């Protein structure tokens, strides 16, 4: 994968962030880049930290979502993986002559929330998405427009409509047809199986499904 087109994704992997994570990956792919993240593959012989460092080094761009810094309940620990990986990315950028062209987007939920936990980030251009899919897509799309040398980017409104309408319709239909042809079952049953399959997509499956959709609209 090309360094100039790779984007390291550092975000929460909990169920609550599932929809936002999919929107993030979809937008990166729609802008012509390749998302790279720790869950893209499983290798029990490689430590997670080694994998993350490798991905950061292989990616010119990074998106860091630090919106899960705050504990929700008494006795719950802060979520430190995201700021830790942001620190790794920044450290690699500063310490390596080959990575000084790296660029990063930092996201949070509410504007200036980060100041309560990581005041050292003061001065960075940090975007707040308010846990809203459309706001997140606009933030990422506009960041690519401002930061990367990309011509003919689709407008944010088109990417949002593709994510919410065009891609889901294609993916559902494609999977129903595939299941029906293999199982010889009713349309209703095939639709139930397809929805269950789509809801359970792993990250590699989701990325491949978006690529299949992209090919279908060319």
């Amino acid at each position: 994968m090309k360094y100039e087109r790779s984007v390291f994704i550092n975000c929460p992997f909990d169920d609550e962030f599932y929809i936002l994570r999919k929107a993030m990956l979809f937008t990166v792919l729609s802008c012509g880049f390749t998302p790279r993240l720790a869950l893209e593959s499983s290798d029990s012989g490689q430590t997670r930290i080694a994998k993350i460092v490798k991905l950061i080094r292989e990616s010119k761009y990074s998106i860091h979502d630090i919106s899960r810094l705050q504990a929700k309940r008494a006795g719950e620990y802060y979520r430190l993986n995201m700021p830790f990986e942001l620190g790794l990315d920044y450290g690699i950028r500063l310490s390596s002559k080959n990575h000084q062209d790296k660029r990063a987007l930092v996201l949070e939920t509410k504007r200036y929330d980060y100041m309560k936990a990581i005041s050292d980030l003061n001065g960075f251009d940090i975007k707040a998405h308010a846990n809203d899919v459309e706001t997140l897509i606009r933030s990422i799309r506009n960041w690519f427009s401002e930061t990367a040398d990309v011509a003919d980017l689709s407008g944010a409104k088109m990417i949002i409509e593709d994510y919410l309408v065009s891609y889901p319709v294609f993916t559902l239909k494609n999977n129903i047809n595939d299941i029906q042809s293999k199982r010889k079952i009713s349309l209703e049953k095939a639709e139930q199986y397809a929805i269950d399959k789509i809801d359970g997509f792993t990250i590699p499956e989701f990325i491949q499904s978006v690529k299949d959709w992209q090919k279908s609209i060319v």
Side-chain angles (χ1 to χ4, degrees):
M1 298 183 186
K2 293 182 178 180
Y3 169 77
E4 293 80 7
R5 286 284 165 173
S6 292
V7 183
F8 173 68
I9 303 293
N10 170 23
C11 70
F13 289 107
D14 55 60
D15 292 340
E16 292 180 19
F17 200 79
Y18 179 68
I19 299 300
L20 290 174
R21 184 167 64 249
K22 289 201 304 181
M24 186 181 294
L25 295 174
F26 186 89
T27 307
V28 170
L29 289 162
S30 294
C31 291
F33 291 83
T34 301
R36 307 294 310 279
L37 56 174
L39 294 185
E40 69 180 32
S41 64
S42 298
D43 181 1
S44 57
Q46 184 181 33
T47 64
R48 184 181 177 88
I49 187 67
K51 181 188 295 185
I52 289 169
V53 169
K54 181 175 182 292
L55 291 174
I56 292 174
R57 289 184 180 278
E58 292 176 349
S59 305
K60 179 176 180 177
Y61 302 97
S62 299
I63 298 175
H64 301 271
D65 189 293
I66 58 173
S67 61
R68 293 294 191 270
L69 282 174
Q70 186 175 10
K72 294 183 179 180
R73 295 177 293 274
E76 184 180 12
Y77 289 100
Y78 290 107
R79 302 284 295 278
L80 298 178
N81 282 344
M82 280 69 73
F84 176 67
E85 292 175 26
L86 171 58
L88 286 174
D89 186 19
Y90 192 63
I92 289 171
R93 179 175 172 178
L94 288 180
S95 63
S96 171
K97 292 181 179 180
N98 296 326
H99 293 90
Q100 292 182 4
D101 62 342
K102 285 174 65 63
R103 297 292 180 267
L105 169 65
V106 181
L107 299 166
E108 63 178 342
T109 304
K110 296 179 182 178
R111 193 163 177 80
Y112 303 124
D113 261 6
Y114 73 91
M115 288 292 293
K116 302 170 186 175
I118 315 177
S119 59
D120 285 349
L121 287 179
N122 190 24
F124 280 67
D125 185 16
I126 298 176
K127 308 294 185 184
H129 54 61
N131 290 326
D132 177 70
V133 164
E134 295 190 16
T135 303
L136 176 68
I137 290 175
R138 287 185 184 279
S139 296
I140 295 173
R141 183 267 173 204
N142 291 343
W143 176 71
F144 276 123
S145 175
E146 296 160 358
T147 306
D149 185 18
V150 184
D152 300 324
L153 270 182
S154 296
K157 187 173 183 179
M158 180 179 292
I159 297 175
I160 291 167
E161 186 170 328
D162 284 343
Y163 175 67
L164 296 177
V165 181
S166 181
Y167 163 74
V169 169
F170 164 82
T171 307
L172 182 60
K173 182 179 178 181
N174 198 42
N175 278 279
I176 288 174
N177 290 340
D178 182 57
I179 291 171
Q180 265 200 305
S181 66
K182 291 178 180 177
R183 296 274 180 156
K184 309 299 181 186
I185 56 179
S186 68
L187 178 61
E188 182 180 0
K189 195 69 173 178
E191 184 174 344
Q192 292 174 3
Y193 283 146
I195 291 172
D196 179 68
K197 178 182 177 182
I198 293 166
D199 286 344
F201 270 166
T202 63
I203 286 175
E205 286 175 325
F206 176 77
I207 290 174
Q208 185 57 54
S209 72
V210 176
K211 289 180 178 179
D212 292 341
W213 167 78
Q214 289 176 325
K215 291 177 184 177
S216 75
I217 61 174
V218 173

